[in-house]
Amino acid sequence: MSLLNIDKISAGYGEIQVLLDISLQVKEGEVVSIIGANGAGKSTLLKTISGLIVPSAGSIQFAGETISGMSPDEIVEQALIHIPEGRRLFSLMTVYENLEMGAYSKRAEPNFEKNLQAVHQLFPRLQERGKQLAGTLSGGEQQMVAIGRGMMAEPRILMLDEPSLGLAPVLKKDIFAAIKKITDEHGTTIVLVEQDVVNSLAISDRAYVMEQGQVVLEGTSAELMGDPHIKKAFLGL
Ligand SMILES: Nc1ncnc2c1ncn2[C@@H]1O[C@H](COP(=O)(O)OP(=O)(O)O)[C@@H](O)[C@H]1O
Ligand SMILES: [Mg+2]
């Protein structure tokens, strides 16, 4: 059975329809990538899963329970955690305070110390820089804080929106390695939205390809790596 089951959802912004009849399943422990060009609807899909947008049709189940229609706070309490595009840190707060902000859920609060240790183990840099204002960190370090803040909520599913965007190649590698480590060491299920198709497929079990608000292709990472459409559209081959 799927941990996350998205069943024929349509969603958008007011009159503007963006997602059309999207179905997608994620099993417990899987890493699933969602790839697609700018404007394909990837961020809209994550916002719909996390309750920021209410779908106009279809339904979403998480661990067997219908979550479409729940508020974003209620969905966070289900341990479904969304790390939005662009990091969105509190730049005038310290690294430590930003991590604290991730732990506000009733579910995660009692495990604060344990989760903080796990974040520091994953990103030792964040322990060293605990007192530094988040806004003064490098782009790669800010992304670590954004991921660390998500980890503080003890996710069962962690959804990351373009975590490698704007980072130099060597830092991208670190971020993808950290995501792989999260799932390997904590068993966290991952939904990864990316435009870096090569690196994201390398750490994914399966992927969905979106175009103009629809899923146009799905398969295992190996299948998609060999797909002529993927090669042409995303790998420049
Ligand atoms: N707040 C918004 N209001 C209206 N339209 C939006 C809004 N955010 C995104 N869109 C539109 O929805 C479409 C999909 O955007 P988005 O989900 O951000 O794509 P992606 O994340 O794949 O780049 C685009 O056409 C975009 O212009
Ligand atoms: Mg986006």
Side-chain angles (χ1 to χ4, degrees):
M1 207 191 76
S2 302
L3 181 58
L4 181 67
N5 180 30
I6 297 174
D7 189 26
K8 299 196 182 93
I9 59 162
S10 297
Y13 304 89
E15 300 280 277
I16 305 167
Q17 169 114 333
V18 175
L19 304 180
L20 189 65
D21 205 26
I22 295 232
S23 292
L24 182 154
Q25 291 81 36
V26 182
K27 294 194 198 77
E28 180 117 52
E30 266 192 320
V31 178
V32 172
S33 279
I34 298 170
I35 58 187
N38 260 329
K42 306 180 297 298
S43 296
T44 304
L45 177 60
L46 292 196
K47 285 188 251 177
T48 307
I49 299 169
S50 59
L52 298 166
I53 297 174
V54 179
S56 55
S59 70
I60 305 173
Q61 283 89 36
F62 176 61
E65 217 183 317
T66 299
I67 60 164
S68 38
M70 284 187 186
S71 72
D73 283 352
E74 287 172 316
I75 290 173
V76 165
E77 289 295 344
Q78 307 281 319
L80 206 165
I81 304 300
H82 176 192
I83 301 176
E85 206 170 354
R87 295 157 203 153
R88 309 261 180 85
L89 301 181
F90 301 98
S91 56
L92 296 177
M93 287 167 59
T94 65
V95 168
Y96 179 82
E97 287 165 342
N98 270 276
L99 294 177
E100 266 184 332
M101 297 298 286
Y104 70 90
S105 85
K106 280 203 276 302
R107 192 178 36 75
E109 225 166 11
N111 301 330
F112 181 84
E113 286 303 330
K114 183 187 84 162
N115 293 334
L116 184 65
Q117 255 180 22
V119 170
H120 285 160
Q121 199 219 346
L122 185 66
F123 298 121
R125 180 74 59 87
L126 298 188
Q127 187 160 21
E128 292 160 23
R129 300 295 177 93
K131 291 183 179 144
Q132 188 171 334
L133 295 184
T136 66
L137 297 171
S138 72
E141 290 165 346
Q142 290 193 12
Q143 188 58 62
M144 291 177 198
V145 178
I147 295 173
R149 192 172 58 184
M151 292 289 291
M152 291 301 291
E154 237 180 281
R156 205 162 155 198
I157 296 194
L158 190 61
M159 304 195 294
L160 301 108
D161 197 346
E162 303 213 29
S164 81
L165 189 70
L167 300 182
V170 55
L171 294 176
K172 279 187 197 229
K173 281 229 165 352
D174 289 348
I175 292 296
F176 284 105
I179 295 166
K180 181 84 173 76
K181 208 168 158 201
I182 291 170
T183 175
D184 286 349
E185 293 185 1
H186 300 275
T188 313
T189 304
I190 307 274
V191 176
L192 177 60
V193 162
E194 262 296 338
Q195 291 198 50
D196 185 331
V197 173
V198 173
N199 278 312
S200 56
L201 288 183
I203 64 161
S204 297
D205 300 299
R206 293 188 300 114
Y208 291 82
V209 180
M210 285 182 67
E211 263 171 32
Q212 296 180 11
Q214 293 182 289
V215 170
V216 293
L217 202 59
E218 63 176 280
T220 64
S221 295
E223 282 165 358
L224 292 183
M225 274 300 231
D227 186 276
H229 175 77
I230 298 281
K231 284 185 175 170
K232 187 157 175 281
F234 297 105
L235 307 180
L237 300 174

